[in-house]
Amino acid sequence: MNPKQTVFSAMEMNKPPRVPVAPFGCGVWTIHRSGTTFKTLSQDPELMAKTNLEIYKQFKPDIVYVGSGYNNLHAAALGGTIKYREIGAPDLEEPYISDLSDIDKLDIGKIPDDPVIQTIWEAARIVKKEIGDEAVVTVTAWGPFTLAAQLVGVEKMMRATFKNKELVNASCDFAVKMIQAIFGPLVDDKTIELISMADPTASGDLISRKQFEKFALPYIQQMTSWSKSKGSKSLLHICGDTNNRLDLLGETGADCISLDHKVDLAKAKSEIGNKICIAGNVNPVHVLDRGSLDEVRRVVGECLHAGAEGGGFILMPGCDHPPTVPDENLKVFYDMAKQYTR
Amino acid sequence: MDAAKKEELLKRLSQGVVEFEDDEVKEAAEEWVATGEDTYDAIFDGLVTGMEEVGRLFSAQEYFVPEMLMAADSLYIGLDILKPHMKQRDTNVKGTVVIGTVQGDVHDIGKNIVKMMFDVAGFDVYDLGRDVPLEDFLKKQLETKSDIVCLSAMMTTTMMGMPKVIEMIKEKNPNCKILIGGAPITDDVAGKFGADGTAKDASNALEEAVKMVVALKDLQKNS
Ligand code: B12
């Protein structure tokens, strides 16, 4: 099996000959390594593709993420302004949905006109052309609840979950349409066969199980069934402590769920491991970034031990990893999975 | 107001915050004000007690961020009604204070309650708000020549900005007193950070501040 087949085999709940291994997103790290900036890349698809291909050559991850870190620019395609920072991913400066009527004024049809989205599309096509069917090529976006919270403003969205449920539902509905418009052309022409979403505002540290079930899950399900209907797979990352809602993560319809380091991997494996492929969950900061080689070895070993049995598992950091992660630590992370055949 | 009535209103205030029942908090606060009594207890044994319970529910993973925000909103509704009716405290000294919550931290309830105590004691207070860039404390101190700078931080991460502010200010103006506080601040931490004092709650904060102003005035007299 080649790397792509290895990943898809695990996502189809089989046991590939070795454990697939990939980062999650890691746009900030990728761009930092290439010595360039988010802003420069946003106008240069060739260069954006090059940063991905360089990383691919060096570390041979089984999944390559194009346009990672640009999720807030998706939001900016229909309004608002973007603030670029010296380090880290850009921010949307002002939310632009304050009530239901604002949503009616927005035109999804304008997504393809956005220059940054065009750059990401073109970069994905270049990367796909180079990598072909050897590894999985994907593009990243926010999950519906997180994108909607960007459009509405995070604090306002949080209050609206109690005070204005209509606004939460309508903005999540709209976010689903936006995300579909962003992935659509790439899924249609098979540039990507996996969509990748992160939903940090629906994190287990921010909202309750009840709210996750009411406001995040239904829209995630809309995305995953849309992806299926297009013949694509889906990878979903939920941040934070989700130990009390693993069963709900099993119902997202995603082909793979990426778990934060706060989740007990063995517990996840026994609760939902026969239902959905699990990815995780090496602590990206305390272990990958700041840990010694021995610590990386120990924690990666623990993750493999807890997750790999019977297949349906991908080794991944518990979240996006910081730009400062030492190469030696990453090398251990990749090598250990690739050598893990049990 | 008799003891039973007082008990009832306190309960409605704290429960109102915990269950973020804005109307309940508003009504109970208004009833309290109508009795004409000092609103000090209503604020501290009612609203603040409720918020303490919210903190416990958050730690127990029963409450999450939306619930905390809603509870904070309810607390502020009560505070707006009760604050104007808090009796003036006569401390015999008047000082000038710059206050704010440090960079990265948006928790401002504790800071606002400390500020309120300074207000009722007749201090001149310059409030920089929350998530305040560290240099702004120095700028404001130099501009107002305040006796005291008060820093609030509620997180173990954001409190690390405090020693930086303290160093900046002490370098320019070694006589300025610095009082810090917030949930993660202990006497130990305050000592390590080089602050002149800390206090675990708002009344103690005022007491500390009064001592500081008195000490400053003595210093001026003797020099
Ligand atoms: C309400 C609340 C919120 C509200 C704040 C609303 C607002 N406008 O302030 C919201 C929802 C926004 C919030 C957000 C978050 N919060 Co919060 N929050 C709380 C909570 C429940 C209550 C705080 C409060 O208002 N208490 C009531 C007031 C009256 O008490 P107080 O602040 O302690 O102030 C008194 C004294 O400390 C003292 N004092 C305060 N300041 C000063 C200053 C001086 C000079 C002096 C002398 C004295 C003094 O006097 C005050 C009055 O008596 C606490 C839990 C807790 N146990 O404290 C968590 C808590 C502070 N939050 C926490 C966390 C983790 C967060 C989030 C990161 C959650 C998330 N995942 O997003 C975010 C961070 C946002 C940010 N960047 O700042 C943690 C911090 C842990 C840590 N790392 O140290 C806590 C401790 C909860 C917990 N147990 O984990 N939060």
Side-chain angles (χ1 to χ4, degrees), chain A residues 155 158-159 161-163 204-208 211 241 245, chain B residues 20 22 58 61-62 64-67 69-70 73 106 130:
Chain A
E155 276 203 13
M158 295 275 145
R159 288 188 172 94
T161 59
F162 285 103
K163 285 187 161 164
D205 294 339
L206 279 181
I207 62 171
S208 67
Q211 294 212 332
D241 180 352
R245 60 196 76 171
Chain B
F20 33 93
D22 293 355
F58 183 77
Q61 294 198 348
E62 282 182 46
F64 290 80
V65 173
E67 289 84 355
L69 269 174
M70 297 290 290
D73 290 350
V106 305
R130 60 190 197 176

Side-chain angles (χ1 to χ4, degrees), chain A residues 278-338:
Chain A
I278 291 173
N281 68 348
V282 180
N283 188 321
V285 178
H286 291 286
V287 178
L288 271 188
D289 191 33
R290 302 200 195 134
S292 63
L293 280 178
D294 278 343
E295 249 172 304
V296 178
R297 271 188 213 106
R298 181 177 59 79
V299 175
V300 170
E302 283 167 9
C303 286
L304 289 168
H305 183 75
E309 202 181 303
F313 177 73
I314 299 174
L315 182 72
M316 230 179 241
C319 199
D320 205 327
H321 64 65
T324 43
V325 171
D327 283 5
E328 309 78 64
N329 285 7
L330 279 176
K331 196 167 155 10
V332 169
F333 170 81
Y334 284 107
D335 287 351
M336 277 179 76
K338 290 182 183 172

Side-chain angles (χ1 to χ4, degrees), chain A residues 230-267:
Chain A
K230 295 268 176 187
S232 160
K233 288 188 164 43
S234 51
L235 164 65
L236 173 69
H237 175 74
I238 304 281
C239 301
D241 180 352
T242 49
N243 282 301
N244 73 354
R245 60 196 76 171
L246 290 168
D247 55 328
L248 299 180
L249 299 186
E251 285 168 28
T252 52
D255 294 280
C256 179
I257 177 82
S258 149
L259 301 172
D260 196 324
H261 74 270
K262 291 180 181 172
V263 176
D264 177 347
L265 201 55
K267 177 173 155 22

Side-chain angles (χ1 to χ4, degrees), chain A residues 155 205-206, chain B residues 44 48 51-52 54-56 58-59 64-66 68-69 72 75-76 99-100 104-111 113-114 118 130 149-158 179-184 197-205:
Chain A
E155 276 203 13
D205 294 339
L206 279 181
Chain B
F44 287 93
V48 170
M51 191 47 86
E52 279 163 14
V54 170
R56 269 190 296 278
F58 183 77
S59 299
F64 290 80
V65 173
M68 287 203 288
L69 269 174
L75 177 139
Y76 275 127
I99 191 167
D105 205 320
V106 305
H107 296 92
D108 62 1
I109 296 173
K111 182 267 294 170
I113 286 181
V114 172
F118 290 140
R130 60 190 197 176
V149 174
C150 283
L151 309 175
S152 179
M154 287 298 287
M155 299 194 286
T156 46
T157 44
T158 52
L179 184 58
I180 68 174
T198 177
K200 66 178 191 327
D201 60 31
S203 339
N204 285 303

Side-chain angles (χ1 to χ4, degrees), chain B residues 127-142:
Chain B
D127 182 8
L128 297 174
R130 60 190 197 176
D131 189 10
V132 178
L134 302 180
E135 319 76 62
D136 289 12
F137 287 99
L138 173 64
K139 266 189 235 152
K140 200 73 190 174
Q141 198 284 326
L142 294 176

Side-chain angles (χ1 to χ4, degrees), chain A residues 132-179:
Chain A
D133 281 325
E134 192 176 271
V136 177
V137 178
T138 188
V139 164
T140 61
W142 289 141
F145 187 76
T146 299
L147 180 58
Q150 287 297 312
L151 305 178
V152 168
V154 177
E155 276 203 13
K156 185 162 176 178
M157 186 78 162
M158 295 275 145
R159 288 188 172 94
T161 59
F162 285 103
K163 285 187 161 164
N164 193 350
K165 299 190 169 85
E166 250 192 311
L167 182 64
V168 179
N169 287 322
S171 58
C172 286
D173 255 333
F174 186 77
V176 166
K177 294 197 190 101
M178 271 180 92
I179 303 165

